[in-house]
Amino acid sequence: MTPLYDVAVVGYGPTGLAAASLLGRLGHRVVVCERWPGLYGLPRLTHIDDETARTVQAAGDVDEALHDSSRCQYVWVNGKGEILVNIPANPEGPMGYPDHISMYQPDVESAIDKRLRAYGTVDVRQGWAVTGLDQDDDAVTLRLRGWNADAVCADGPSDEVRARHVIAADGSRSGIRELLGVQRQDLGFNELWLNIDTEWLRPQPPEFARGTQYCDPARGHMTINIGHTRQRFEFAVLPGETREEMAAPETAWRLLRQYHDLGPDDVRITRRLVYGFEARIATRWRTGRVFLAGDAAHTMPPYLGQGACSGIRDATNLAWKLHHVLGGLSPDALLDTYESERRPHVTALTHAAIGLGKVANTHDAEAAAARDAAFLAGKVPPPPPFPPLRDGVLRQGTDAPVGTLTPQGRIRLPDGRSGRLDDLTGYGFTLVAAEDPTAALGPERLARLERLGCAVVALDTVADLDGRHGEYLRQLGAVAYLARPDFVLFGVAADSTDLGALVDDLDAALSGTPAGVAV
């Protein structure tokens, strides 16, 4: 009989890795199906933000993952080298990490892979392609074939796995999406760029220790550091140029010499590929027990640095909701909030990335001159802040900034242990209160919080080492706040008499029972 897993994850890139690790950490039986026989081993993404780093912390050894990383300043310049936009490198954002991080993707993937294999509940099946699926009332059956990496086809032995739910994180060309017959909306951005990844053969020059987007109408191009020892270069493919000629080794060296005066004595090329930058969003993200995530659900141009970050947000959103449904703590309807929460957020970021992409891909000289004049005169407003979640598992009817992100500082517990908040509280809901809420909540509500896997942190009994959580409470004008496992603010308690109602509202939101009804 085919064993029944709780969740099957298809695809073993950043989204699939994060989802599998978080679910494995929560004790679920997970099977990963990945057609390639090993981790990719080369960087596709080069940037994550502090929110994503916090998820890496939950899914793997974050210090190992980011050991060759650096905070990343990002500058946009025109064809004359004049600065249009300067995005500074904040050394530490509210999550406890730099808000822009230049990192080496293989380090991140290896750290998460190492962690999830240690759980003993995650079965990683590399070298297997999913060729079909069937759903019934209880589970999904995935049909597998061994993947022939040399012939780039599935012609090996057959097998199947069965799982109660499936997360399809198998990339922009998602085979699962095709099997489900899900279409994608094209938002009208399509550009080709040549990607060249390199390793420095000498110390990295200071001018390369940042990201620079050259908005040159003659040929847009960019460079960004990958930690301290590696560098990415990208060049727009112009009309009349073919993929084949742009992917040739001599083209890469010609462009590196022409634009950066670099040659084989300076860098070693490790990867060379022509990419298609696109913006597409799947028309639906859930089909029965199957969920699309990451590039399978949405793709965006890279100019905001949020493609992989958005996929990892999908993983964190889905993981805790699947945990609650699989554990009988919440009804299946909770899973519908995955798309209703994530789609508006990623759509807003995609449109912002498209806007930046149009700046970077302005090839008309007159239009570029007008663009430059507007930027240099300060007439271009800064990009809007990231949108909060508006609907879903949030406490409604308050003025609190629900749906925004909560901070992570360092704390010291009464037993002397100290470290980052999440490392000490675990992966789950967290109630942070100015004072011990035991008396205000009472034993019944405390038992409910324990049943929901919610940690309780009282700032009068722990040391708030950098003052971040106390300051956040003061900004909220609250005595307590309740954070979701994906770091989103569920709600706040304005005073001690509101603490019980806050817990009741969380229980109601997760159980599907109206607040005030016993469960």
Side-chain angles (χ1 to χ4, degrees):
M1 179 180 293
T2 303
L4 179 64
Y5 293 91
D6 292 327
V7 181
V9 177
V10 182
Y12 206 42
T15 301
L17 277 156
S21 184
L22 295 175
L23 286 162
R25 178 175 179 173
L26 291 167
H28 295 289
R29 294 197 62 206
V30 179
V31 61
V32 176
C33 304
E34 166 57 53
R35 62 177 180 169
W36 296 105
L39 295 174
Y40 187 62
L42 291 171
R44 286 162 290 188
L45 67 109
T46 60
H47 164 275
I48 59 173
D49 57 20
D50 55 340
E51 179 187 357
T52 306
R54 193 173 177 183
T55 298
V56 174
Q57 175 191 336
D61 184 330
V62 68
D63 297 313
E64 179 182 333
L66 300 180
H67 77 95
D68 184 22
S69 67
S70 61
R71 64 180 187 263
C72 183
Q73 178 187 10
Y74 203 21
V75 177
W76 290 56
V77 303
N78 62 14
K80 299 177 182 179
E82 298 170 313
I83 294 177
L84 305 178
V85 179
N86 183 14
I87 302 173
N90 183 0
E92 186 168 281
M95 298 288 185
Y97 300 95
D99 51 8
H100 296 287
I101 303 170
S102 159
M103 38 61 72
Y104 186 53
Q105 180 180 348
D107 289 344
V108 175
E109 294 187 345
S110 294
I112 298 176
D113 175 72
K114 180 180 178 181
R115 171 73 62 83
L116 70 84
R117 290 178 186 271
Y119 292 135
T121 60
V122 182
D123 181 9
V124 181
R125 303 196 59 175
Q126 292 167 299
W128 290 91
V130 177
T131 58
L133 66 82
D134 298 295
Q135 297 195 57
D136 55 41
D137 291 341
D138 299 316
V140 183
T141 300
L142 298 178
R143 296 188 293 278
L144 311 179
R145 289 292 300 272
W147 181 254
N148 185 331
D150 294 327
V152 196
C153 67
D155 61 1
S158 61
D159 201 353
E160 64 180 35
V161 296
R162 189 164 166 79
R164 293 174 65 184
H165 298 280
V166 172
I167 298 175
D170 52 341
S172 61
R173 299 180 181 178
S174 171
I176 297 294
R177 190 183 63 234
E178 291 187 8
L179 289 170
L180 296 172
V182 176
Q183 303 300 311
R184 292 191 295 168
Q185 178 189 8
D186 187 342
L187 299 182
F189 186 95
N190 296 279
E191 297 284 346
L192 293 178
W193 281 59
L194 169 65
N195 171 292
I196 305 170
D197 284 337
T198 67
E199 291 181 346
W200 286 103
L201 300 178
R202 57 185 176 88
Q204 183 186 62
E207 65 267 26
F208 290 100
R210 66 181 189 184
T212 304
Q213 184 78 47
Y214 297 88
C215 305
D216 186 346
R219 185 191 297 275
H221 58 107
M222 67 83 67
T223 180
I224 188 171
N225 58 313
I226 306 175
H228 300 282
T229 60
R230 302 175 179 89
Q231 198 79 25
R232 168 164 295 174
F233 301 90
E234 291 180 346
F235 300 90
V237 177
L238 302 179
E241 295 177 333
T242 66
R243 279 179 176 264
E244 292 72 23
E245 67 179 286
M246 290 299 290
E250 57 270 21
T251 300
W253 288 119
R254 173 175 59 82
L255 294 172
L256 288 176
R257 179 65 72 187
Q258 177 182 349
Y259 287 94
H260 299 289
D261 195 25
L262 297 173
D265 292 335
D266 303 298
V267 296
R268 180 174 71 89
I269 294 177
T270 58
R271 184 172 181 259
R272 195 181 65 253
L273 186 68
V274 174
Y275 262 116
F277 296 156
E278 63 176 31
R280 291 176 170 84
I281 300 178
T283 54
R284 68 176 187 273
W285 296 11
R286 179 183 187 182
T287 302
R289 294 177 174 270
V290 183
F291 301 85
L292 303 180
D295 284 356
H298 46 77
T299 56
M300 70 178 71
Y303 306 100
L304 199 61
Q306 284 296 310
C309 296
S310 294
I312 291 173
R313 286 189 194 99
D314 294 344
T316 60
N317 190 293
L318 261 178
W320 71 262
K321 292 175 181 177
L322 283 167
H323 170 64
H324 277 259
V325 172
L326 288 164
L329 298 170
S330 299
D332 180 82
L334 177 69
L335 300 175
D336 290 330
T337 66
Y338 162 61
E339 182 174 350
S340 67
E341 289 183 353
R342 291 292 304 126
R343 176 186 285 277
H345 190 275
V346 80
T347 299
L349 294 186
T350 301
H351 283 294
I354 290 173
L356 288 173
K358 290 178 179 177
V359 173
N361 288 276
T362 300
H363 302 302
D364 179 87
E366 291 187 5
R371 173 205 66 197
D372 295 350
F375 271 101
L376 295 173
K379 295 181 179 180
V380 179
F386 281 15
L389 301 187
R390 299 292 186 186
D391 299 302
V393 186
L394 303 170
R395 192 185 196 198
Q396 305 294 342
T398 72
D399 294 330
V402 298
T404 59
L405 295 173
T406 58
Q408 176 185 221
R410 300 181 67 85
I411 63 172
R412 183 172 59 246
L413 300 179
D415 62 10
R417 289 181 297 143
S418 63
R420 301 180 182 103
L421 174 73
D422 297 352
D423 290 336
L424 298 174
T425 59
Y427 176 62
F429 285 89
T430 304
L431 176 67
V432 177
E435 297 180 356
D436 186 351
T438 300
L441 291 177
E444 192 273 334
R445 287 192 175 99
L446 288 171
R448 272 193 274 157
L449 288 178
E450 183 176 2
R451 177 174 62 88
L452 294 173
C454 180
V456 178
V457 176
L459 297 183
D460 63 340
T461 63
V462 306
D464 187 12
L465 296 178
D466 51 18
R468 187 165 291 161
H469 304 101
E471 176 59 28
Y472 183 60
L473 280 174
R474 286 188 287 274
Q475 292 173 3
L476 293 172
V479 299
Y481 70 88
L482 220 167
R484 303 184 342 175
D486 51 1
F487 329 127
V488 171
L489 178 65
F490 169 79
V492 308
D495 51 44
S496 59
T497 62
D498 192 28
L499 268 168
L502 175 63
V503 173
D504 293 345
D505 286 346
L506 174 65
D507 205 15
L510 294 175
S511 67
T513 304
V517 177
V519 293

